[in-house]
Each structure stands twice: as C-alpha cells, then as structure tokens.
Amino acid sequence: MAEPDIAFTTLNTNGSERFQSLRRELGVTSFGMNLAILAPRQRGRIHAHEHQEEVYLVLEGELTLGVEGVEHTVARGGLVRVAPGVRRQLVNRGTTALQLLALGGAGEHVGRDGKAWESWDEDGDGRAPQDVALPADLPV
C-alpha cells in the first residue's frame, strides 16, 4: 500500500520572518496560505490581486485593514474577505505583534466532493458523507 499524501508544518510565530509560506511548506497547489506577522506599528504595502480573492483570519492582535483608503478594524478571531482587484493594506496599529493567516484562491470552488466510510476496515470507493452515520463519541 502506498503512503498517503499528507504533509505537516508548524506556524513559526516566534521567528524573525514577516512571512511564512505555508502553501510551499505543505505542498498545497490549489490555493495560497501564508502566515503574516506584523510588528507593532508595521504595515504592508498597498496591493491588489488580479484574479485571487483573499481571506484574512486574525490569530493574534488586531488588524487595521485599509481598503481604498478607508480603514476597517478586525479583532482576534475575526475574518475578512477581499475580492480580486480591490486595493488593500495590512496595518498593525497596536502595541503587540499582529499574526494573521492569509488564504487566497482563484476560480470556482469545488464543493462537497468528499467520500465517507464507516470504519477503517471498509473497502471500496466510499459513499456520500450524508449516507454514512456519524461515529459514536470516544469514551471519556
């Protein structure tokens, strides 16, 4: 049996790098995924993407997102989507580091293409997830 195609990495939140390409580290080819860290009072360049939309998830700190010169605040745990062609700037106006996960992609989403099995012993092509019962919770 061939080894499954999986990859692992770790967020490098304590390093000196401003940007970590998680996509490259994991070998992801269908969308972008990056960890961005801005020090207090630091800002990124004003930029836009021609085809790619981006979603930013604030992991730590508070993001000030400039969009066409108008600022929006996104707190820890908040998410924001920016469409292709929209100019944006990531800014950290805070006194602690801003850590955010940036996800980007272009093209139509391929939805609900999963398959499910009831046990590891079950062979075959699997079934639609809604046709397979959820497993019982693990014992405490």
Side-chain angles (χ1 to χ4, degrees), residues 18-76:
R18 188 170 170 171
F19 183 84
Q20 180 183 5
S21 177
L22 301 168
R23 177 191 63 77
R24 273 192 213 103
E25 291 178 19
L26 293 168
V28 174
T29 59
S30 58
F31 61 93
M33 181 172 36
N34 302 302
L35 173 66
I37 299 176
L38 294 178
R41 314 297 297 163
Q42 194 171 43
R43 59 186 171 173
R45 69 178 61 90
I46 298 169
H47 74 284
H49 295 276
E50 189 173 337
H51 302 288
Q52 179 174 274
E53 64 183 334
E54 283 188 308
V55 172
Y56 302 107
L57 166 61
V58 178
L59 301 172
E60 290 292 333
E62 184 176 86
L63 168 65
T64 299
L65 177 68
V67 177
E68 295 297 336
V70 178
E71 291 189 347
H72 307 269
T73 301
V74 185
R76 181 176 183 257

Side-chain angles (χ1 to χ4, degrees), residues 27-138:
V28 174
T29 59
S30 58
F31 61 93
M33 181 172 36
N34 302 302
L35 173 66
I37 299 176
L38 294 178
R41 314 297 297 163
Q42 194 171 43
R43 59 186 171 173
R45 69 178 61 90
I46 298 169
H47 74 284
H49 295 276
E50 189 173 337
H51 302 288
Q52 179 174 274
E53 64 183 334
E54 283 188 308
V55 172
Y56 302 107
L57 166 61
V58 178
L59 301 172
E60 290 292 333
E62 184 176 86
L63 168 65
T64 299
L65 177 68
V67 177
E68 295 297 336
V70 178
E71 291 189 347
H72 307 269
T73 301
V74 185
R76 181 176 183 257
L79 293 107
V80 59
R81 174 196 165 267
V82 182
V86 176
R87 294 188 307 164
R88 82 288 311 256
Q89 183 178 37
L90 308 176
V91 179
N92 181 2
R93 295 200 180 282
T95 58
T96 61
L98 166 65
Q99 300 174 9
L100 59 88
L101 186 65
L103 304 166
E108 292 295 316
H109 171 69
V110 177
R112 305 298 300 210
D113 67 343
K115 298 288 185 176
W117 292 261
E118 289 193 26
S119 78
W120 293 108
D121 298 325
E122 187 178 344
D123 288 329
D125 292 333
R127 295 174 274 163
Q130 63 269 20
D131 296 337
V132 176
L134 288 172
D137 291 341
L138 294 172

